[in-house]
Amino acid sequence: MVVELFLDLLSQPCRALFIFAKKNNIPFEFKHVELIKGQHLSEEFGKVNVLKKVPALKDGTFTLAESIAILLYLSRKFNTPDHWYPSDLRKRARVDEYLSWQHTAIREKGCRIFFTKVLMPLAVGQPFSPDKLEEAVKEMNFTLVQFEEKFLQDKPFIVGSEISLADLVAIVELMQPVASGCDIFADRPKLAAWRSRVEEAVGKELFQEAHKQVLNAKSLGSMQLSSELKEHLKQILKP
Amino acid sequence: MLTGRMALELYLDLISPPCRAVYIFAKKNNICFEFKPVELFKGQQHTEEFAKVNILKKVPVLKDGVFTLAESTAILLYLSRKYNTPDHWYSSDLQKRARVDEYLSWHHNSFRRIAPKTLWIKVLIPLFTGQAAPPEKLQEVIDELAASLVQFEEKFLQDKPFIMGSEISLADLMAVVELMQPVGVGCHIFADRPKLAAWRSRVEEAVGKELFQEAHEQILNIKELSSIEVEPKLKELLAPTLMKMLK
């Protein structure tokens, strides 16, 4: 039985998984859970993941939520190349350190920009709030300074000379503001150079494929959210 | 021949839940370390000196020779590997380990994000502004926490003794220390949740009651804080975060 990955490539953590599985030739069945149709909120999907979020994994009777947990599970089960999650104690710790920090840093701030600029307007049928966007961008800027100072520094990749799960998880999150029209790489040459290296290491074609949907600005702006999703968003985003 | 070996240093303040997790784990597993206190209420995490240890200006931090490491999850995993702690903390079984990873990931945006707000609202805001926070703010936080607790019981704990199954793991440790924060400030979240309370007892037992009490002494006596003098500089630093909370 092939592993099932429940994904929507609009979601950053789903892209990390998609890229990781494809790059490592891990056979899987792509189970599309369309977020804009609110399919993640269905009872059926709730049986796969009671938290009603993507991504989710189903390996036989074993189900697993949380992209970080899924990435680690796949790396172990399929014995992926060491550089993804180095066996060296300290290098591995550096990956763990980033994967932990990013939840409330890069991931949170990137999501906030996307919610403010793209999702909220679609949910409430009004243009985005420039003040709120400015605040969100300010917070992202601060986080990016921390990213460059603490995690990237002058190394080619977060852990050193090779790409790891840390870079993969970081890059997909940083593409969300880009997709929202906030090009955070524009005036950050060091970050942009790191992005190129990550794209190269992943494979440009695969990277493009994973990001095709979210980078289609036109279609993003005209997404038809289901009414259930709109209500759900209004509740959790608190405009 | 004696080689000059630098002791493992752990920069901690036991007011902070992740620091308690690291402290309990190290002590429980007889890992020798030097306790380097970083007093959060004195703003010591904002000093230039501490920034050299952790540029993110947060605790806990580990320093092992020249190697410094932030983030409690990373520290716990590092210690478990370096010191070969008993398997149940981070099971070598693929699926059991995945369950621990799953909890540790979810934790950040649930308990870790919400539980500390109880301290802010009940202790820090009154301390720093001289006024009680609006009661509806506390209710908001309690409601948020309640929703998280439902998810925790439904998804992570279910009817098992511990998150992973029959034995305590890093997941239970990270969860319990976070949930002690509301308890410390008088939000009795275990009071009307028997399943959760039973789990907490088991975790305390597995950790060792004495060690658990020791780690939680400060937070459980946090009310005594209300009599301390807060440095004006610290008030200035924390004001923006406080204001955000009151919005």
Side-chain angles (χ1 to χ4, degrees):
Chain A
M1 248 192 310
V2 158
V3 162
E4 290 168 61
L5 291 178
F6 293 78
L7 310 170
D8 182 327
L9 297 182
L10 283 177
S11 142
Q12 306 92 299
C14 288
R15 295 197 294 269
L17 269 179
F18 179 81
I19 290 172
F20 186 73
K22 287 245 162 181
K23 178 71 181 170
N24 289 289
N25 297 309
I26 295 169
F28 70 95
E29 202 184 321
F30 187 120
K31 306 284 276 188
H32 197 194
V33 179
E34 284 190 77
L35 295 175
I36 66 169
K37 290 188 181 163
Q39 288 177 354
H40 55 302
L41 302 170
S42 71
E43 237 187 85
E44 197 191 326
F45 181 66
K47 291 185 195 140
V48 176
N49 180 15
V50 73
L51 299 171
K52 302 208 171 164
K53 288 189 172 175
V54 283
L57 165 148
K58 197 162 184 287
D59 190 1
T61 51
F62 179 68
T63 58
L64 187 64
E66 297 294 314
S67 62
I68 306 297
I70 301 172
L71 285 167
L72 291 172
Y73 178 80
L74 292 177
S75 75
R76 287 161 182 148
K77 178 163 179 164
F78 294 93
N79 251 309
T80 53
D82 191 68
H83 64 81
W84 287 111
Y85 195 54
S87 41
D88 174 83
L89 192 69
R90 291 182 177 186
K91 285 187 179 170
R92 180 167 286 196
R94 285 278 166 253
V95 178
D96 289 333
E97 190 186 47
Y98 181 76
L99 294 180
S100 173
W101 175 79
Q102 61 94 30
H103 287 278
T104 51
I106 299 278
R107 170 146 179 76
E108 188 184 293
K109 312 310 173 188
C111 277
R112 208 165 146 207
I113 291 178
F114 182 70
F115 287 166
T116 304
K117 194 142 189 254
V118 179
L119 275 190
M120 210 55 215
L122 290 173
V124 301
Q126 278 166 36
F128 70 86
S129 152
D131 285 340
K132 291 211 164 144
L133 183 65
E134 197 184 319
E135 217 183 292
V137 170
K138 217 166 137 185
E139 294 212 349
M140 175 55 100
N141 288 340
F142 179 76
T143 299
L144 285 171
V145 169
Q146 289 190 315
F147 179 75
E148 289 199 38
E149 263 183 30
K150 156 87 188 162
F151 295 98
L152 189 54
Q153 295 169 8
D154 288 311
K155 298 166 276 154
F157 297 97
I158 291 170
V159 162
S161 55
E162 284 185 280
I163 191 175
S164 72
L165 291 178
D167 306 278
L168 181 58
V169 165
I171 196 78
V172 295
E173 293 294 342
L174 290 174
M175 292 305 288
Q176 210 77 347
V178 172
S180 314
C182 296
D183 192 356
I184 47 137
F185 294 102
D187 45 3
R188 291 185 175 90
K190 200 160 95 169
L191 203 70
W194 163 79
R195 171 195 168 169
S196 291
R197 283 191 292 273
V198 176
E199 276 196 58
E200 190 94 36
V202 155
K204 291 206 171 163
E205 211 177 289
L206 175 56
F207 190 87
Q208 296 300 335
E209 187 192 345
H211 288 89
K212 192 171 167 190
Q213 217 188 331
V214 80
L215 287 175
N216 188 338
K218 221 170 160 193
S219 78
L220 214 62
S222 56
M223 288 191 297
Q224 294 291 328
L225 306 184
S226 76
S227 46
E228 196 192 356
L229 182 62
K230 283 188 191 180
E231 280 318 303
H232 179 75
L233 284 174
K234 280 187 223 175
Q235 292 244 351
I236 61 172
L237 294 181
K238 294 191 188 85
Chain B
M1 188 174 89
L2 271 178
T3 47
R5 248 231 197 132
M6 275 195 286
L8 180 75
E9 292 173 5
L10 294 175
Y11 291 75
L12 309 168
D13 184 331
L14 297 182
I15 292 284
S16 144
C19 286
R20 293 198 290 268
V22 170
Y23 179 81
I24 289 172
F25 186 74
K27 286 249 159 175
K28 177 70 182 171
N29 289 288
N30 298 310
I31 296 169
C32 290
F33 68 93
E34 200 184 320
F35 189 119
K36 307 283 278 185
V38 180
E39 290 185 74
L40 298 177
F41 288 156
K42 290 192 179 158
Q44 287 176 357
Q45 72 277 38
H46 295 292
T47 62
E48 247 184 74
E49 198 190 325
F50 184 68
K52 290 185 192 140
V53 177
N54 183 16
I55 202 173
L56 299 172
K57 303 185 184 183
K58 288 191 171 171
V59 282
V61 182
L62 167 149
K63 195 161 184 284
D64 192 2
V66 296
F67 180 67
T68 57
L69 186 66
E71 295 295 316
S72 56
T73 302
I75 295 171
L76 288 167
L77 291 171
Y78 178 81
L79 291 176
S80 75
R81 288 161 182 150
K82 178 163 180 172
Y83 296 91
N84 250 306
T85 54
D87 191 67
H88 65 81
W89 286 112
Y90 194 55
S91 177
S92 44
D93 173 87
L94 191 70
Q95 290 186 0
K96 285 185 176 169
R97 180 170 286 196
R99 284 282 162 249
V100 178
D101 289 333
E102 189 186 49
Y103 177 77
L104 293 178
S105 173
W106 177 83
H107 174 86
H108 288 276
N109 272 309
S110 56
F111 294 164
R112 181 79 198 111
R113 185 178 57 81
I114 305 164
K117 291 186 193 179
T118 54
L119 178 71
W120 282 101
I121 290 177
K122 284 200 98 177
V123 177
L124 297 182
I125 286 176
L127 189 64
F128 282 73
T129 66
Q131 280 170 31
E136 61 266 22
K137 280 286 155 191
L138 181 64
Q139 193 54 51
E140 234 177 80
V141 170
I142 289 177
D143 290 343
E144 243 196 309
L145 188 58
S148 260
L149 287 167
V150 169
Q151 284 196 321
F152 178 71
E153 289 198 40
E154 251 183 39
K155 157 90 190 160
F156 295 99
L157 190 55
Q158 295 168 6
D159 288 309
K160 299 165 280 157
F162 298 97
I163 292 169
M164 195 182 69
S166 56
E167 285 184 281
I168 190 174
S169 71
L170 293 178
D172 306 279
L173 185 56
M174 284 292 272
V176 84
V177 294
E178 208 65 58
L179 294 179
M180 290 303 290
Q181 212 74 342
V183 172
V185 302
C187 298
H188 301 290
I189 52 159
F190 293 102
D192 47 1
R193 292 182 175 93
K195 202 161 95 168
L196 202 73
W199 163 79
R200 173 201 160 166
S201 289
R202 283 191 293 271
V203 176
E204 274 196 61
E205 191 92 39
V207 156
K209 288 201 171 167
E210 211 178 290
L211 174 57
F212 191 88
Q213 292 303 325
E214 186 194 335
H216 287 90
E217 196 185 331
Q218 255 184 296
I219 190 67
L220 291 173
N221 290 298
I222 197 81
K223 295 276 171 78
E224 291 171 18
L225 243 201
S226 32
S227 56
I228 70 159
E229 275 289 321
V230 182
E231 283 184 39
K233 244 178 151 186
L234 187 59
K235 281 193 188 185
E236 231 181 272
L237 257 170
L238 293 179
T241 322
L242 278 170
M243 290 318 294
K244 250 179 147 183
M245 281 234 68
L246 289 175
K247 260 197 209 160

